Amino acid sequence: MSELAAQGWLGDWAAQFLDPRKRLYWGYLASAFLIALAWMVLLRRERPASAVRKLLSRDIWCSPSARADYAIFLINTILMGSIVPRLLGHAAVAAFCFSLLHGLFEGRASLLPAAPAWAIAAGFTLVLFVLDDLARYVIHRLMHRLPVLWAFHKVHHSATRLNPLTVLRTHPVEGVLFALRGALVQGLCIGVFVYAFGDRVSLVMVLGANAVKLVFNVLGANLRHSEVPIRYWPWLEKIFLSPAQHQVHHSVERRHHDRNFGVVLSCWDRLFGTFHHSEPDQALRYGLGNSVAEPHSLHTLYLAPFRESAMHIARLLVPGSRARPRAPLAQSDQSSKASHSMKPIRTLKFYSVLAVTLASVAAFPPPLLAADMVNIYSARKEELILPLLERFREETGIGFRLVTGKADGLLKRIEIEGEATPADVFITVDAGRLQRAKQAGILQPVENAVIEERIPAHLRDVDNQWFGLSRRARVIFYARDRVDPSELSTYEDLANEKWRGRLCIRSSNNIYNQSLVASMIAHLGEEATEEWARGLVANFARNPAGGDTDQLLALAAGQCDITLVNTYYFGRMLNSSDESERAAGEGIGVFWPNQDGRGAHVNVSGAGITRHTRHLEAAQALLEFLVNDESQAWYAEVNNEYPVVPGAEVSDTLRSFGEFQSDTLNLTVLGENNTAALQLMDRAGWR
């Protein structure tokens, strides 16, 4: 055993008693002891010294059952610490759920926008608690009713004396099932709530633990696995499960079998007919009766359940046979006991393979993804990125996995996945969105001489956390038959009264407009920009609606005379396979504003390398490839976007738009000013 592994195991063991998120946290054990002591002294009228002796009795804490609990605790901490990281995690489930909703409903919901963050957090915490408790009830009941699962769950019921560590007396198979249950419930709740309420979603935490669970644990959760039969009032036991009620669940008496499956809430037992009140002065026996000769041996606790479960599966698979229904607790294990006398097929070989498998799980870390692979989350449409990625693979030998989706959905997905995210590179459009990714903490700074040399400083983040890959300008388009280009001059002039009722534009929800306003704030200041925005709103020919292409079509249809659109949309119109769109484009002119001053507003599509990438070199190689001359020319030709690399080739369509001077404002500012821009647009009445 290596020193590093030993230190890790010691840390895992200690964490069970030092982490407030764990059931056996010392504070919860102390509160359980004090509650039990108070109950015995105040209600049972016992002397304090006598009560302490009973609570710390050697018959309980040093019994064969307790010693087995301790051994299972030590072994399972090692096994589960190696198994659980390989399982489906709640982050992956949440990301899938969020992305699915985002795709199904085409964007983010915005429920209860006026609700305070604390109310959303409280609602999320409560819903998660209730659904988690229900899922625990369902899995627990299934483990009693299905013979294949009972073979593993009865390890927990084999305890003949109860102490707080008995809660961890579980077979690893049961531990895996409950871990998967937790991942599914938590993941679904997180995904749905984040989709519905965004960044207002959080758990109400105390000491780093879920507040509801903390209250449950402080109020004596550990007494459920104890021999202190604390009862609640009958009406309260119909809502919350008392320690005495859970002790009934462990009883060997037939009338107590399959009762009180709940964990915190007893309402599930009432709803599904498994409820049982505690009884006054109940004196119970625990365990599996006399059905197992050695209930506390490691063989019985770890290996025998596999064989018994396999026998149940075999009965199901053999033609004409059925698995026998589960008999009452003590009786059901008579068949298990009898099976010990049967000579199993190749028993030694079976145990040898099992031992090697368990040892391998504990010894080897999860395999890493291939080193010559890069995982890409892209908000750009597949047809605009896939051909380049295939060429990248051909030229470098580095493979790729591509996930496409809406920008906000992919960004939130990476946030939810956290350290478990497979994403190495995040690609999206608009510096405002790239800055959101930076502010969310999902990107990392990258020092790469090739990228820095080829991309001008104003087209990349000031901290090198994202880099522009292609440029688009948001400029003025006008109807050739109704507007003389000599009337046009600057962005600021669009607020002039001469354009009253003549301007079409997208809504303030559009990131392109938000970034334009953010740049205006940087150049003019917030007060002057708000005055400009009010003038712009006064000049609207119609309420903002549709995308950039819709603005151009409205312009061609005579609904307005001028508009603000990204240049590549106009390029698409001119090269469209739809003859009517091409004809519409012929009547539209492009005008480059502010050419005697700061220049036309430009933005970028860009990319950043994720904070938790496992393939940093491959990710950097991809960014280098995307800014080489060939890739830059490809973007210009295919999507009519301007290169970020000075001197790179542009398409004939882009050349037809003419030369222009562009704004050299560092685009990081667009993200930094985004919130102010949104608030300003709202005050100005830009909807």
Side-chain angles (χ1 to χ4, degrees):
M1 180 174 66
S2 69
E3 181 179 352
L4 185 60
Q7 291 176 349
W9 295 341
L10 288 172
D12 290 340
W13 291 325
Q16 294 290 339
F17 303 101
L18 300 177
D19 187 345
R21 293 172 296 180
K22 305 292 186 182
R23 175 77 165 265
L24 296 178
Y25 174 60
W26 70 267
Y28 306 148
L29 292 173
S31 68
F33 178 82
L34 293 175
I35 290 170
L37 184 61
W39 177 79
M40 295 175 74
V41 171
L42 299 178
L43 297 181
R44 301 297 290 266
R45 303 299 182 183
E46 295 200 31
R47 294 180 180 275
S50 173
V52 170
R53 282 195 299 270
K54 287 184 178 181
L55 291 174
L56 302 180
S57 170
R58 289 175 56 88
D59 290 342
I60 296 175
W61 295 96
C62 297
S63 66
S65 181
R67 292 199 297 270
D69 292 346
Y70 308 150
I72 292 174
F73 164 66
L74 295 175
I75 295 170
N76 279 3
T77 302
I78 298 172
L79 288 177
M80 298 307 293
S82 299
I83 295 172
V84 170
R86 293 171 167 81
L87 300 177
L88 178 70
H90 71 268
V93 176
F96 172 79
C97 181
F98 178 89
S99 297
L100 179 64
L101 291 171
H102 207 279
L104 286 175
F105 298 104
E106 299 184 347
R108 291 287 296 276
S110 182
L111 301 183
L112 304 177
W118 67 263
I120 302 299
F124 172 64
T125 303
L126 184 60
V127 169
L128 179 59
F129 160 70
V130 171
L131 292 182
D132 186 70
D133 200 66
L134 173 60
R136 287 176 182 272
Y137 172 90
V138 171
I139 295 297
H140 190 184
R141 188 169 182 183
L142 286 175
M143 298 200 81
H144 277 255
R145 300 311 302 165
L146 299 180
V148 171
L149 297 181
W150 169 248
F152 298 104
H153 182 58
K154 70 179 183 180
V155 168
H156 182 64
H157 281 273
S158 66
T160 53
R161 303 301 299 264
L162 302 184
N163 72 81
L165 267 74
T166 306
V167 72
L168 301 180
R169 184 188 179 111
T170 57
H171 194 280
V173 169
E174 178 176 346
V176 166
L177 290 175
F178 270 87
L180 290 173
R181 172 212 58 79
L184 288 172
V185 173
Q186 294 175 39
L188 288 172
C189 280
I190 293 171
V192 170
F193 267 79
V194 169
Y195 173 78
F197 302 107
D199 57 9
R200 291 179 293 165
V201 176
S202 63
L203 274 173
V204 178
M205 308 287 279
V206 179
L207 298 177
N210 183 321
V212 177
K213 289 186 176 180
L214 181 137
V215 171
F216 168 64
N217 289 331
V218 167
L219 294 180
N222 285 305
L223 293 174
R224 281 155 171 72
H225 291 97
S226 77
E227 298 185 14
V228 182
I230 294 180
R231 306 174 66 214
Y232 297 158
W233 294 285
W235 64 267
L236 189 58
E237 285 193 345
K238 292 180 179 180
I239 303 172
F240 297 106
L241 208 73
S242 70
Q245 282 177 289
H246 189 73
Q247 291 155 18
V248 165
H249 177 75
H250 278 265
S251 171
V252 299
E253 291 188 45
R254 183 187 298 271
R255 64 193 179 92
H256 293 153
H257 295 170
D258 296 335
R259 292 291 181 266
N260 297 347
F261 291 109
V263 178
V264 181
L265 301 175
S266 57
C267 56
W268 315 122
D269 287 294
R270 293 179 61 208
L271 182 63
F272 298 112
T274 56
F275 177 80
H276 195 290
H277 270 302
S278 62
E279 300 168 358
D281 301 317
Q282 62 186 28
L284 306 174
R285 287 192 310 117
Y286 308 112
L288 299 173
N290 299 319
S291 61
V292 180
E294 297 180 345
H296 308 305
S297 72
L298 293 182
H299 173 279
T300 301
L301 297 171
Y302 279 99
L303 301 179
F306 283 109
R307 184 178 60 183
E308 183 180 342
S309 183
M311 292 176 66
H312 286 298
I313 293 173
R315 290 193 189 105
L316 291 171
L317 297 179
V318 173
S321 71
R322 287 186 177 181
R324 280 177 264 174
R326 180 182 174 275
L329 195 67
Q331 294 181 8
S332 66
D333 287 275
Q334 297 294 341
S335 61
S336 177
K337 180 183 177 183
S339 69
H340 283 283
S341 63
M342 300 172 62
K343 191 171 183 179
I345 300 174
R346 302 187 184 277
T347 302
L348 181 60
K349 181 178 180 181
F350 172 79
Y351 287 157
S352 298
V353 171
L354 177 62
V356 170
T357 301
L358 292 175
S360 299
V361 166
F364 296 102
L368 296 177
L369 298 176
D372 55 348
M373 175 68 66
V374 60
N375 297 284
I376 304 148
Y377 283 15
S378 173
R380 304 225 66 176
K381 293 181 179 179
E382 188 171 293
E383 61 267 24
L384 296 179
I385 188 69
L386 188 57
L388 274 180
L389 296 177
E390 290 173 342
R391 192 178 302 169
F392 168 73
R393 179 171 55 195
E394 292 172 5
E395 293 188 11
T396 65
I398 299 173
F400 67 88
R401 295 187 182 94
L402 176 64
V403 176
T404 59
K406 296 184 181 296
D408 290 343
L410 292 175
L411 173 57
K412 184 56 68 173
R413 176 172 176 173
I414 298 174
E415 283 188 81
I416 292 171
E417 290 172 341
E419 294 183 10
T421 183
D424 301 304
V425 175
F426 175 56
I427 298 177
T428 189
V429 295
D430 199 280
R433 283 201 180 101
L434 289 164
Q435 190 66 12
R436 287 180 192 173
K438 175 184 177 181
Q439 292 169 344
I442 71 167
L443 303 179
Q444 63 169 288
V446 174
E447 301 298 327
N448 182 292
V450 173
I451 300 173
E452 292 177 27
E453 180 183 352
R454 294 188 67 79
I455 304 175
H458 70 283
L459 299 178
R460 49 187 162 91
D461 174 51
V462 291
D463 299 315
N464 280 350
Q465 291 202 27
W466 55 260
F467 304 88
L469 301 177
S470 61
R471 289 186 301 158
R472 64 276 301 277
R474 193 159 190 77
V475 298
I476 301 171
F477 290 85
Y478 63 94
R480 293 181 184 274
D481 61 345
R482 299 189 299 278
V483 175
D484 185 335
S486 64
E487 298 179 77
L488 299 166
S489 57
T490 63
Y491 293 105
E492 290 87 335
D493 184 62
L494 295 179
N496 193 300
E497 289 185 1
K498 69 183 178 182
W499 302 115
R500 190 64 50 87
R502 302 175 68 185
L503 172 67
C504 288
I505 200 165
R506 291 179 72 164
S507 75
S508 60
N509 289 330
N510 175 242
I511 188 68
Y512 306 149
N513 284 338
Q514 293 169 16
S515 291
L516 172 62
V517 175
S519 73
M520 299 283 285
I521 291 174
H523 287 298
L524 307 178
E526 194 166 336
E527 184 177 344
T529 302
E530 182 171 343
E531 183 180 352
W532 168 80
R534 292 183 185 279
L536 208 68
V537 170
N539 290 340
F540 286 174
R542 60 175 190 174
N543 291 330
D548 275 22
T549 301
D550 296 308
Q551 312 311 312
L552 293 170
L553 292 174
L555 189 65
Q559 297 177 22
C560 52
D561 295 336
I562 55 173
T563 187
L564 283 168
V565 168
N566 282 356
T567 46
Y568 64 91
Y569 285 99
F570 187 53
R572 287 181 190 174
M573 177 175 279
L574 296 178
N575 296 303
S576 174
S577 58
D578 187 327
E579 184 177 349
S580 62
E581 284 195 6
R582 293 198 305 273
E586 291 176 1
I588 297 174
V590 57
F591 182 84
W592 299 98
N594 296 80
Q595 293 303 286
D596 295 329
R598 63 179 179 272
H601 168 70
V602 295
N603 210 317
V604 292
S605 69
I609 297 177
T610 62
R611 178 183 175 188
H612 298 296
T613 177
R614 297 179 178 87
H615 308 114
L616 181 59
E617 292 184 6
Q620 291 195 56
L622 175 61
L623 294 188
E624 291 178 11
F625 174 82
L626 293 176
V627 294
N628 67 26
D629 289 340
E630 185 179 8
S631 297
Q632 290 286 290
W634 185 88
Y635 262 124
E637 187 65 39
V638 171
N639 201 42
N640 298 297
E641 292 183 84
Y642 290 93
V644 294
V645 177
E649 285 293 319
V650 298
S651 65
D652 291 340
T653 299
L654 292 178
R655 273 193 289 271
S656 71
F657 295 169
E659 298 291 331
F660 69 97
Q661 175 187 333
S662 67
D663 191 350
T664 58
L665 177 74
N666 188 284
L667 299 187
T668 304
V669 173
L670 305 188
E672 293 174 344
N673 287 349
N674 182 264
T675 299
L678 272 170
Q679 294 172 347
L680 181 155
M681 296 164 85
D682 187 61
R683 292 194 300 269
W686 188 342
R687 299 290 187 260

